[in-house]
Amino acid sequence: MKHSTIALLSLFSIFFFPVSWATSPSTSVPDDFIQCLDNASNAQPVCIEFHTPNNSSFATALQSYKRNRRFDTPTTPKPAVVVTAAHESDVQATVVCAKKVGIELRIRSGGHDYEGVSYVSQVPFVILDMSKLRSIEIDIEKGTAWFQAGAILGEIYYAIAKKSKYHAFPAGVCPGLGAGGHISGGGYGNLLRKYGVATDHVIDAQIVDAKGRILNRTTMGNDLFWALRGGGASSFGVILSWKVKLVPVPETVTVFKVNRTLEQGATDIVAQWTQVVDKLPNEMFMRVWLKTVNGSHAGEKTIQALFVGMFLGRAKELVELMNNRLPKFGFQQSDAIEMSWIESVVFWADKPLGTPIEVLLERATKPGIYLKRKSDFVKEPISNAGLEAIWKTMIELEDVAMLWNPYGGIMNKISENKTAFPHRAGNIFKIQYATNWMAEGIEATNLYLNKTRKLFEFMTPYVSKNPREAFLNYRDLDIGTSSNGDYEKAKVYGIKYFKGNFDELVRVKTNVDPDNFFRNEQSIPTLPSCKL
């Protein structure tokens, strides 16, 4: 990824729409923003693509990469403009013009922000869509990769596999995640126990700052480079690209997916899982997906525990490991499936066995479901009695699932302040609360939101305390907001997301974006003047 040398005013003059359409927004600030883009573009005959509500392409541009139907309703606030960046200089122009006219900027790479923060605001705003900035360069000889923020993980994994069957990148299991936001929030995946989170492998980055400059690791300095890795880059600028170090994987890995219900001994198995999962060999990753399902008798409900795992080794080793460390599971040779690492990526995406790896290149561009997510970290094993109480509450609520994702391994050896991502040693597993629904309307939404919050509240005795930690990539506005950058309000959620790294992130933010241009409901604030 070569560094751009395009000057800020050497921008674009040819648009995808008539000039008369470009000057017709209904409010003066959007009009000024478009005029600013127009002025910047006149220096060079290359197109900046943008869309306003007066154009027939606006709805498509807006809905592309919205992942949550909660934020795709008639009452959802709409942006004044959607800028679809195709060049780095498009990003520079958008930042400069938005700051000049005083309109809020929302940055969308893959659109997976669970609270829609990348494409919704309660004040006048512009969306900067990064999805066309998706270049990927793999250098197997050096063991590195450069990719732009709009590349999705599936495309990155596919590009790596086309060059080598012995290399991988330790990031998320959802192929549609955009690289820009995913990595800047940490990037948790099934290689975590062996290699850590994605942000641990970032060795360079390019970002557009609040002055419209393109900075790399050298020109941005150590403090900002530290903050971008786990601190949420959208508080500091617009990520253009990442350079990462690839990791080795064996030619053959082994995966499994096994269900157990309460009637099949799930309580004993899950209890044992909480006792040993963080102590298993680093090559082992085994999550549990807990949900309420129909029981064996009519009208009866039970809990299903779906165990999904990957072992960086052969099936024979895995069977021996499981039977030695998790004897209550009753793991069988037939449960183990050997495949290549890239095939395991397809498996973890919940595709049928044998699905071609080209499925990783598919992009879902329209919202499918309504959803709510929350997170927690667990530091002590949960007893059978505790699990039985959890099952009872889950069955009563019925619609809220939990994904328990293991920790331990190499994460126990990485300090909390190596990067801005702090959730390291001392965690047994991380919880994702997951509620999905299809019913439309505010009553249905409130029903499912309240169910999710009730289970979250019930779990209080079993999870981390002081602070009750949360994972930034599982965005949850319930834990606090501060849209105007109020330090005390931001500290409420900031300590949960970043622990002891929060104040250092505030210091970096104050230095690089003192006007707090890059902001959202849960951004890093600037330091109050009384504390400077």
Side-chain angles (χ1 to χ4, degrees):
M1 230 40 63
K2 294 199 170 46
H3 210 35
S4 172
T5 58
I6 300 175
L8 285 178
L9 292 180
S10 298
L11 297 167
F12 304 107
S13 61
I14 299 177
F15 292 81
F16 289 106
F17 42 76
V19 173
S20 61
W21 177 78
T23 58
S24 60
S26 58
T27 61
S28 61
V29 170
D31 187 58
D32 291 344
F33 174 78
I34 292 174
Q35 187 61 56
C36 179
L37 281 184
D38 195 18
N39 292 341
S41 299
N42 286 333
Q44 188 170 319
V46 184
C47 300
I48 294 179
E49 178 185 350
F50 62 84
H51 316 264
T52 76
N54 294 343
N55 185 258
S56 59
S57 62
F58 178 77
T60 299
L62 174 60
Q63 286 192 312
S64 295
Y65 302 100
K66 274 191 174 187
R67 305 298 186 186
N68 190 346
R69 287 183 64 188
R70 283 174 55 207
F71 308 107
D72 187 42
T73 70
T75 59
T76 301
K78 306 297 190 293
V81 184
V82 178
V83 180
T84 305
H87 306 275
E88 294 174 341
S89 48
D90 296 359
V91 178
Q92 292 176 279
T94 302
V95 169
V96 169
C97 289
K99 186 173 183 182
K100 178 180 179 181
V101 306
I103 193 167
E104 196 163 286
L105 184 64
R106 295 300 167 106
I107 307 154
R108 183 175 70 185
S109 296
H112 278 82
D113 189 294
Y114 285 148
E115 298 281 16
V117 167
S118 63
Y119 52 86
V120 177
S121 177
Q122 300 302 313
V123 299
F125 70 107
V126 170
I127 291 176
L128 174 56
D129 188 291
M130 303 289 287
S131 61
K132 287 190 176 181
L133 292 172
R134 58 177 75 172
S135 175
I136 301 169
E137 299 174 10
I138 309 296
D139 189 331
I140 290 300
E141 185 175 332
K142 294 182 178 178
T144 61
W146 264 114
F147 43 81
Q148 289 182 300
I152 59 173
L153 297 187
E155 294 166 345
I156 296 166
Y157 297 154
Y158 181 87
I160 295 169
K162 282 298 180 181
K163 293 290 185 77
S164 170
K165 59 184 177 182
Y166 299 106
H167 289 79
F169 178 58
V173 299
C174 175
L177 291 169
H182 175 69
I183 295 174
S184 78
Y188 182 106
N190 58 16
L191 292 173
L192 166 128
R193 303 189 67 256
K194 179 69 174 178
Y195 294 116
V197 291
T199 199
D200 294 328
H201 299 270
V202 173
I203 55 177
D204 204 345
Q206 290 182 321
I207 186 172
V208 174
D209 72 358
K211 296 179 181 179
R213 302 173 300 181
I214 295 180
L215 307 176
N216 60 21
R217 179 175 183 172
T218 300
T219 55
M220 76 176 71
N222 291 334
D223 289 351
L224 180 53
F225 184 64
W226 173 85
L228 298 180
R229 293 174 294 151
S234 62
S235 289
F236 305 95
V238 183
I239 286 290
L240 292 174
S241 58
W242 301 105
K243 184 179 183 182
V244 302
K245 192 73 176 172
L246 304 179
V247 300
V249 288
E251 183 176 3
T252 301
V253 304
T254 306
V255 299
F256 60 91
K257 188 181 294 184
V258 180
N259 280 313
R260 294 287 188 267
T261 63
L262 298 186
E263 294 77 10
Q264 296 169 320
T267 301
D268 286 342
I269 298 169
V270 174
Q272 190 170 68
W273 180 92
T274 71
Q275 294 165 359
V276 306
V277 71
D278 61 317
K279 305 174 188 69
L280 295 173
N282 295 7
E283 292 76 17
M284 180 69 173
F285 183 94
M286 181 182 180
R287 76 161 28 159
V288 185
W289 181 15
L290 302 163
K291 64 178 181 178
T292 304
V293 298
N294 291 327
S296 55
H297 303 291
E300 180 184 70
K301 297 291 182 180
T302 189
I303 295 296
Q304 174 184 279
L306 174 62
F307 296 86
V308 187
M310 180 172 73
F311 177 67
L312 299 175
R314 304 301 296 258
K316 182 179 179 181
E317 299 173 78
L318 172 62
V319 173
E320 182 177 348
L321 172 66
M322 290 289 288
N323 288 331
N324 284 339
R325 303 297 293 275
L326 282 159
K328 293 182 182 295
F329 193 97
F331 195 79
Q332 303 293 319
Q333 179 76 38
S334 58
D335 295 327
I337 308 167
E338 292 186 341
M339 57 181 61
S340 66
W341 170 76
I342 193 63
E343 290 171 333
S344 79
V345 174
V346 177
F347 173 87
W348 278 87
D350 205 26
K351 303 297 182 183
L353 292 177
T355 299
I357 64 172
E358 283 71 24
V359 72
L360 299 175
L361 304 178
E362 295 178 0
R363 287 176 171 243
T365 58
K366 297 211 173 155
I369 58 173
Y370 298 85
L371 62 87
K372 173 63 181 178
R373 301 290 187 265
K374 296 176 78 68
S375 62
D376 261 321
F377 288 83
V378 177
K379 299 178 182 294
E380 299 291 340
I382 302 177
S383 67
N384 284 50
L387 291 174
E388 288 167 359
I390 293 170
W391 307 154
K392 181 176 182 293
T393 300
M394 289 184 67
I395 290 171
E396 289 172 355
L397 294 171
E398 191 170 343
D399 300 295
V400 189
M402 286 191 285
L403 283 78
W404 291 5
N405 297 285
Y407 252 70
I410 194 67
M411 294 294 279
N412 286 338
K413 298 181 179 180
I414 303 174
S415 67
E416 290 190 352
N417 62 1
K418 178 185 177 182
T419 68
F421 180 84
H423 308 290
R424 305 292 188 171
N427 294 303
I428 298 176
F429 60 96
K430 170 170 61 71
I431 299 176
Q432 179 178 182
Y433 301 85
T435 309
N436 302 333
W437 65 97
M438 294 299 294
E440 298 181 355
I442 190 64
E443 289 185 4
T445 293
N446 288 338
L447 172 68
Y448 291 104
L449 291 179
N450 287 335
K451 286 188 176 189
T452 313
R453 291 162 181 158
K454 284 179 180 178
L455 182 57
F456 179 80
E457 183 63 27
F458 179 82
M459 291 295 292
T460 301
Y462 307 103
V463 301
S464 62
K465 300 170 180 64
N466 302 317
R468 184 171 183 171
E469 299 173 32
F471 180 33
L472 180 63
N473 279 358
Y474 296 169
R475 174 91 66 188
D476 179 12
L477 295 185
D478 292 349
I479 68 172
T481 61
S482 176
S483 57
N484 63 353
D486 181 280
Y487 173 83
E488 293 301 329
K489 289 182 179 179
K491 191 173 182 178
V492 174
Y493 60 80
I495 294 297
K496 295 174 183 178
Y497 284 140
F498 307 113
K499 302 177 67 177
N501 293 337
F502 174 68
D503 278 335
E504 178 62 15
L505 287 167
V506 173
R507 188 187 68 79
V508 176
K509 167 75 170 181
T510 305
N511 288 337
V512 303
D513 183 21
D515 298 325
N516 196 27
F517 170 68
F518 291 108
R519 62 186 182 274
N520 58 53
E521 289 82 355
Q522 286 189 336
S523 56
I524 301 297
T526 54
L527 198 62
S529 57
C530 63
K531 296 189 177 184
L532 289 174

